[in-house]
């Protein structure tokens, strides 16, 4: 009897291990985002594990590989050289929208920009250090260090998703006391477990359940009313960033990626009102900062071409990250801003 029970238990365990292995293998191509690791140089608060393969099938379908520095850059060009200071013309900083891990690594905006600049003969090298959960304040706090590490020669292009800044955020950034996004520390066995794709998926589902009532799409804040104080401190933050960038003989580009929403009649709208975007564009123009408003491009593509630049076939239309069409629009917007600026007499 005891022998039969032992054999039965052995079969149950073997079946469980086999099932787990099959699920883990399936998730290698279904949900296998690269893990975060510490970023010693401080260009971002953390980075991805260098050289790691990644795949996503939960929001879009995408594959790629992280570069040797821990960021999503797969573009290779004979004239580009290595991704070291002195070889980078345009440095992109932003959140997971800029990072672009929801489309194939050769369909994200930074890759497409590299293609455009190679095709036009300028051969500007674009390097993307976009990282999840890095909003404009976090990137402003990291800006000086990022420029020191990667040494862009011409432009810094920075994503923005909110048109305001609070006084405490500005003062903390200038004083160097802004609280960084930190990696959560785990026991060693959990550090190992998170490298198993199926465990990653289970953990992400658990985190989604925890956060479902706390955050909107992408964990971003809803747009703050365009108060005079909010605009004043955003202007001060723009001055601070512009000063840092110009000190390195570069120019600053701000590009706005809005949260896309639709009303009951199917009309597209965005968290930031038109007046907020117009005021922000005016602040940029006053300071000689190039501004790319993705809201205009997303609205035009939807109304004229029936194309939605965010959301995927396996999620909700308009919800979440930019899709391939959205990254096309972003690349085109930044490219036009740069070429238009350089065409001026």
């Amino acid at each position: 009897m005891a022998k039969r029970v032992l054999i039965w238990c052995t079969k149950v365990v073997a079946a469980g291990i086999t099932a787990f292995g099959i699920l883990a293998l399936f998730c290698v191509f279904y949900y296998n985002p690269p893990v975060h690791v510490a970023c010693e140089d401080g260009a971002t608060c953390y980075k991805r594990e260098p050289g790691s393969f990644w795949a996503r099938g939960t929001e879009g379908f995408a594959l790629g590989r992280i570069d040797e520095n821990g960021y999503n850059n797969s573009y290779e060009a004979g004239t580009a050289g290595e991704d070291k200071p002195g070889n980078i013309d345009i440095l992109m900083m932003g959140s997971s929208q800029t990072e672009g891990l929801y489309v194939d690594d050769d369909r994200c905006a930074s890759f497409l920009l590299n293609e455009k600049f190679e095709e036009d003969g300028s051969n500007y090298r674009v390097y993307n250090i976009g990282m999840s959960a890095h909003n404009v304040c976090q990137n402003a706090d990291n800006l000086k260090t990022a420029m020191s590490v990667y040494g862009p020669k011409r432009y810094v292009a920075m994503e923005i998703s909110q048109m305001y800044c609070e006084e405490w955020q500005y003062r903390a950034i200038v004083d160097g006391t802004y609280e960084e996004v930190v990696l959560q520390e785990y026991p060693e066995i959990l550090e190992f477990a998170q490298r198993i794709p199926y465990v990653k998926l289970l953990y992400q589902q658990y985190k989604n359940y925890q956060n479902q009532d706390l955050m909107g799409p992408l964990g971003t804040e809803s747009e703050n009313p365009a108060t005079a104080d909010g605009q004043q401190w955003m202007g001060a933050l723009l001055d601070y960033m512009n000063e840092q960038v110009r000190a390195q003989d570069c120019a600053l580009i701000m590009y706005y990626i809005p949260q896309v929403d639709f009303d009951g009649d199917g009309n597209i709208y965005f968290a930031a009102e038109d007046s907020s975007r117009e005021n922000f564009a005016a602040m940029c123009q006053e300071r000689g900062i190039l501004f790319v408003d993705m809201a205009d491009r997303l609205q035009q593509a939807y109304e004229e071409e029936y194309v939605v630049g965010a959301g995927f076939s396996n999620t909700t239309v308009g919800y979440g990250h930019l899709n391939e069409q959205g990254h096309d629009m972003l690349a085109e917007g930044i490219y036009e801003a740069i070429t238009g600026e350089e065409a001026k007499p």
Side-chain angles (χ1 to χ4, degrees):
M1 179 66 179
K3 184 177 179 181
R4 293 176 62 185
V5 171
L6 179 61
I7 292 174
W8 181 84
C9 290
T10 301
K11 289 181 178 179
V12 169
V13 171
I17 293 174
T18 301
F20 184 85
I22 292 172
L23 287 170
L25 182 61
F26 169 75
C27 285
V28 166
F29 296 96
Y30 177 66
Y31 186 78
N32 187 23
V35 298
H36 289 121
V37 297
C39 182
E40 297 81 3
D41 58 35
T44 50
C45 298
Y46 44 77
K47 60 184 181 181
R48 303 289 182 171
E49 186 173 40
S52 56
F53 166 81
W54 58 269
R56 288 182 186 269
T58 52
E59 186 179 350
F61 300 94
L63 300 170
R65 184 174 294 278
I66 297 300
D67 73 6
E68 62 179 10
N69 298 323
Y71 302 105
N72 184 27
N73 295 279
S74 64
Y75 190 82
E76 296 180 2
T79 58
E82 297 180 345
D83 295 321
K84 304 295 183 185
N87 297 315
I88 295 169
D89 295 288
I90 303 163
L91 182 67
M92 292 185 69
M93 302 181 69
S95 70
S96 55
Q97 293 279 32
T98 295
E99 187 179 21
L101 296 186
Y102 294 84
V103 296
D104 287 341
D105 59 5
D106 61 353
R107 294 298 304 161
C108 70
S110 55
F111 188 100
L112 299 175
L113 278 167
N114 275 303
E115 285 188 326
K116 290 177 182 294
F117 287 121
E118 186 172 26
E119 289 170 1
D120 71 14
S122 62
N123 291 313
Y124 289 174
R125 177 63 164 122
V126 181
Y127 193 68
N128 177 8
I129 61 169
M131 188 56 53
S132 61
H134 282 54
N135 62 22
V136 66
C137 291
Q138 189 64 73
N139 285 315
D141 189 51
N142 294 333
L143 177 58
K144 187 174 182 179
T145 302
M147 293 192 69
S148 174
V149 172
Y150 289 103
K153 294 183 290 185
R154 300 179 184 275
Y155 298 93
V156 173
M158 185 174 295
E159 173 193 334
I160 186 168
S161 60
Q162 62 189 43
M163 298 293 185
Y164 66 94
C165 177
E166 297 184 38
E167 180 179 358
W168 71 265
Q169 293 174 312
Y170 168 75
R171 296 198 181 282
I173 291 167
V174 173
D175 295 341
T177 58
Y178 192 82
E179 186 175 351
E180 291 190 349
V181 182
V182 296
L183 284 175
Q184 186 173 350
E185 295 185 3
Y186 301 96
E188 190 171 333
I189 188 169
L190 290 181
E191 288 282 355
F192 170 77
Q194 71 168 332
R195 298 176 183 277
I196 302 173
Y198 183 53
V199 175
K200 290 182 189 178
L201 179 62
L202 292 177
Y203 179 73
Q204 185 59 47
Q205 293 293 83
Y206 169 70
K207 295 298 290 184
N208 290 344
Y209 170 75
Q210 279 189 318
N211 297 333
Q212 61 183 344
D213 295 325
L214 301 178
M215 293 185 176
L218 312 185
T220 58
E221 304 172 55
S222 59
E223 184 62 29
N224 196 49
T227 62
D229 281 350
Q231 290 181 356
Q232 173 191 344
W233 293 112
M234 175 52 76
L237 183 61
L238 288 175
D239 287 333
Y240 171 80
M241 292 189 291
N242 207 23
E243 180 182 348
Q244 299 295 324
V245 171
R246 289 189 180 278
Q248 300 296 323
D249 294 323
C250 291
L252 180 62
I253 303 170
M254 301 298 296
Y255 55 95
Y256 173 57
I257 302 179
Q259 174 186 321
V260 178
D261 287 301
F262 298 91
D263 63 21
D265 296 324
N267 299 309
I268 192 169
Y269 68 96
F270 310 102
E273 296 179 357
D274 291 347
S275 59
S276 297
R277 290 158 40 210
E278 290 168 2
N279 290 337
F280 186 82
M283 287 194 294
C284 287
Q285 186 175 18
E286 291 170 3
R287 294 162 173 80
I289 299 171
L290 301 180
F291 177 52
V292 178
D293 188 352
M294 277 289 289
D296 289 338
R297 292 177 177 273
L298 289 166
Q299 184 168 0
Q300 183 179 0
Y302 176 67
E303 293 177 350
E304 296 181 5
E305 303 173 28
Y306 310 107
V307 170
V308 180
F312 300 86
S313 59
N314 56 346
T315 58
T316 302
V317 174
Y319 176 88
H321 293 85
L322 296 178
N323 52 36
E324 287 190 3
Q325 291 86 354
H327 277 273
D328 285 339
M329 294 179 215
L330 177 57
E332 190 65 29
I334 295 174
Y335 179 77
E336 288 179 1
I338 292 173
T339 54
E341 178 68 15
E342 299 197 347
K344 292 179 179 178

